[in-house]
Amino acid sequence: MSEETEQVDIMYGLKTVLSRIDVAVSKRSKDLPQIMPTMVAVSKIKPASLIIQAYEAGQRHFGENYVNELSEKAQDPQILEMCKDIKWHFIGHLQTNKINKLLQSPNLYMVETVDSAKLADNLNKQWEKFRQGDVKLKVMVQVNTSAEDAKNGIEPSEASTLVKHVLENCPNLDCKGLMTIGQYDYDVSLGPNPDFLLLAKCRQEVCQNLNLDIDHVELSMGMSADFEHAIELGATTVRVGSTIFGARPIKHQ
Ligand SMILES: *Cc1c(COP(=O)(O)O)cnc(C)c1O
């Protein structure tokens, strides 16, 4: 762990992000569902000690994009002891051979990255084994709004079909909404981010096609660089990492 990481003031980071969220909510178009966004603190690469600090400052939702890392942190004895109400969101690409490992993680709250009927079917089947009590597994359908090959997610035109599949064929899953990652480094001076607009449009189509109440279909979009912009365009879940926990080392592709 670098010295900078240790010096990050988690409490300050959380407070700042939450107040920026409040301001963004007040600027959101009144045509959009006025849902107070859930802020998922993305703790990838960051140690358990920082997660515990954030938890103690009041944060409950945490996101990880690798199954092994989520699984390890979720089973960390200190986290289990001190963060009893923690809610883990899986936000990475989920391979079939990692499903069981993910579903065995204590306090798994939501899988945001369901991008095929096959993955939904697998999760539905395996959740029967791993769930505690009668709780359904919350999921979101991931949409590839930026049409980049490197990004996962289904085509926007397929969103309704996949949501319908989950609603009709996956009784152990609770489909909460749509999620996108979108292109990085979009320049907002060019206008509203087309990825966010497209995800909002997908939600409209899904709600129309399947006769769903738009107030109950969430949109997970927006990260450190653009979460306020995403909220103004309708995000109900934002995933914020570096603004809270400090910068991550640059990944070499
Ligand atoms: C890392 C990550 C984030 C958070 O990114 P920051 O820019 O650090 O806020 C959000 N969503 C996903 C899917 C991620 O992998």
Side-chain angles (χ1 to χ4, degrees), residues 40 42 44 64-65 91-92 113 142 179-181 184 222-225 227 238-244 246 248:
V40 177
V42 179
K44 61 191 183 200
E64 290 285 341
N65 65 336
I91 59 173
T113 46
Q142 183 179 5
M179 177 271 203
T180 190
I181 294 178
Y184 298 118
M223 321 201 296
S224 285
F227 67 90
V238 291
R239 310 176 306 266
V240 183
S242 43
T243 300
I244 298 167
R248 292 179 298 273

Side-chain angles (χ1 to χ4, degrees), residues 24-245:
V25 166
S26 70
K27 291 196 209 158
R28 183 155 62 188
S29 157
K30 298 299 169 241
D31 307 337
L32 291 162
Q34 300 301 308
I35 301 171
M36 192 59 204
T38 299
M39 196 268 282
V40 177
V42 179
S43 46
K44 61 191 183 200
I45 314 187
K46 303 297 174 178
S49 57
L50 292 191
I51 295 170
I52 294 168
Q53 270 185 44
Y55 184 91
E56 289 184 333
Q59 182 63 27
R60 291 295 176 267
H61 294 264
F62 290 83
E64 290 285 341
N65 65 336
Y66 289 109
V67 171
N68 289 349
E69 199 176 340
L70 189 153
S71 162
E72 236 171 72
K73 287 174 176 171
Q75 293 178 70
D76 179 280
Q78 269 195 309
I79 289 184
L80 281 173
E81 171 63 27
M82 301 173 77
C83 311
K84 296 211 187 301
D85 189 33
I86 197 167
K87 295 170 168 65
W88 290 107
H89 292 236
F90 184 69
I91 59 173
H93 179 58
L94 183 51
Q95 291 164 304
T96 308
N97 63 352
K98 292 280 173 71
I99 289 179
N100 286 4
K101 184 163 199 179
L102 178 65
L103 297 188
Q104 286 172 65
S105 304
N107 302 309
L108 177 68
Y109 181 78
M110 187 186 280
V111 177
E112 294 200 14
T113 46
V114 173
D115 61 358
S116 70
K118 184 170 159 251
L119 177 56
D121 289 341
N122 273 323
L123 286 168
N124 180 60
K125 185 156 163 254
Q126 297 306 317
W127 187 240
E128 214 152 88
K129 276 195 240 160
F130 298 115
R131 72 172 162 205
Q132 289 124 30
D134 240 357
V135 189
K136 293 185 180 200
L137 177 65
K138 294 178 186 55
V139 297
M140 286 197 189
V141 162
Q142 183 179 5
V143 182
N144 184 353
T145 51
S146 49
E148 291 165 273
D149 288 341
K151 296 270 161 62
N152 296 299
I154 52 152
E155 295 298 309
S157 61
E158 297 291 313
S160 285
T161 310
L162 183 50
V163 172
K164 185 166 191 265
H165 177 85
V166 175
L167 295 177
E168 290 180 353
N169 303 295
C170 302
N172 301 317
L173 305 184
D174 181 7
C175 187
K176 295 309 250 184
L178 307 176
M179 177 271 203
T180 190
I181 294 178
Q183 58 183 308
Y184 298 118
D185 300 326
Y186 173 74
D187 176 2
V188 191
S189 71
L190 299 174
N193 186 323
D195 287 303
F196 299 161
L197 292 176
L198 183 51
L199 197 69
K201 182 164 163 261
C202 278
R203 175 172 66 176
Q204 265 177 344
E205 285 171 6
V206 167
C207 290
Q208 264 158 24
N209 292 343
L210 307 178
N211 201 17
L212 302 175
D213 180 354
I214 198 163
D215 290 331
H216 294 142
V217 181
E218 298 195 32
L219 294 181
S220 174
M221 59 191 196
M223 321 201 296
S224 285
D226 52 16
F227 67 90
E228 291 144 300
H229 183 59
I231 287 169
E232 287 177 36
L233 297 180
T236 68
T237 298
V238 291
R239 310 176 306 266
V240 183
S242 43
T243 300
I244 298 167
F245 294 109

